[in-house]
Amino acid sequence: MADAHPPPGFEPLFRTSPFLDHLGPFFMRRLVDGTFVVGVRIQPHHANGRGVAHGGLLMTLCDIALGTFPALRPKVRLNAVALLDAINHPQARETLHLLLRDENPDVSIRAVRGAARLRDPEAVAALERSLRQPTLPPLVAAETVRALTQIDSPDAQRTLSEYAAADPVAFPHRGSDVVARQLRERRR
């Protein structure tokens, strides 16, 4: 039986259904802006075959938020990036790499930061591919330079050197002030 007592700072979720009752109990913490955080204590029956929380449970949490606050739908991708960034398994990594190419720069920047924390060759390759996109927004390009600087592997340094020497005509973001600033920071 799952513990029905809310964690500190949480209260029972205000809505329920037979499906939520089966998975829950779910909890919520109200935030100052009128939104809320949804939570559930992970139990053995929530696990997938790898022994971690099943993706269906995580999507149920997203569904609760979407169903309650339709106006928050544009923010869900941002929160999905934060969620996927914290999960370290191949599917999450695939999704994170897809989000590097999201049309919303806020999503891409969060994905870049997540890739930087992975610090692996796949993340460096994904960041390198991102820098090769001529239409990459300058803020995302600057964050990508910062991420590669943090990774500091030989591949990351090679990518940065090639990017620093790139023709700004071919890559318009390369000529932006914000990217130039990050490249100068890198040399310090």
Side-chain angles (χ1 to χ4, degrees), residues 43-126:
Q43 303 295 317
H45 68 275
H46 293 135
N48 63 20
R50 293 182 192 99
V52 298
H54 192 281
L57 176 68
L58 301 176
M59 292 304 102
T60 298
L61 292 169
C62 291
D63 181 66
I64 291 168
L66 284 173
T68 305
F69 286 107
L72 293 180
R73 287 184 182 143
K75 295 181 181 180
V76 169
R77 283 200 323 264
L78 293 176
N79 295 328
V81 174
L83 176 66
L84 290 169
D85 178 31
I87 302 170
N88 191 14
H89 65 79
Q91 286 177 324
R93 287 173 179 239
E94 276 179 32
T95 306
L96 192 64
H97 293 217
L98 290 173
L99 290 167
L100 285 170
R101 297 187 305 263
D102 196 278
E103 63 190 35
N104 180 335
D106 291 334
V107 172
S108 296
I109 286 171
R110 287 189 185 197
V112 166
R113 290 174 182 162
R117 283 189 287 280
L118 292 175
R119 294 182 179 269
D120 65 15
E122 288 177 37
V124 171

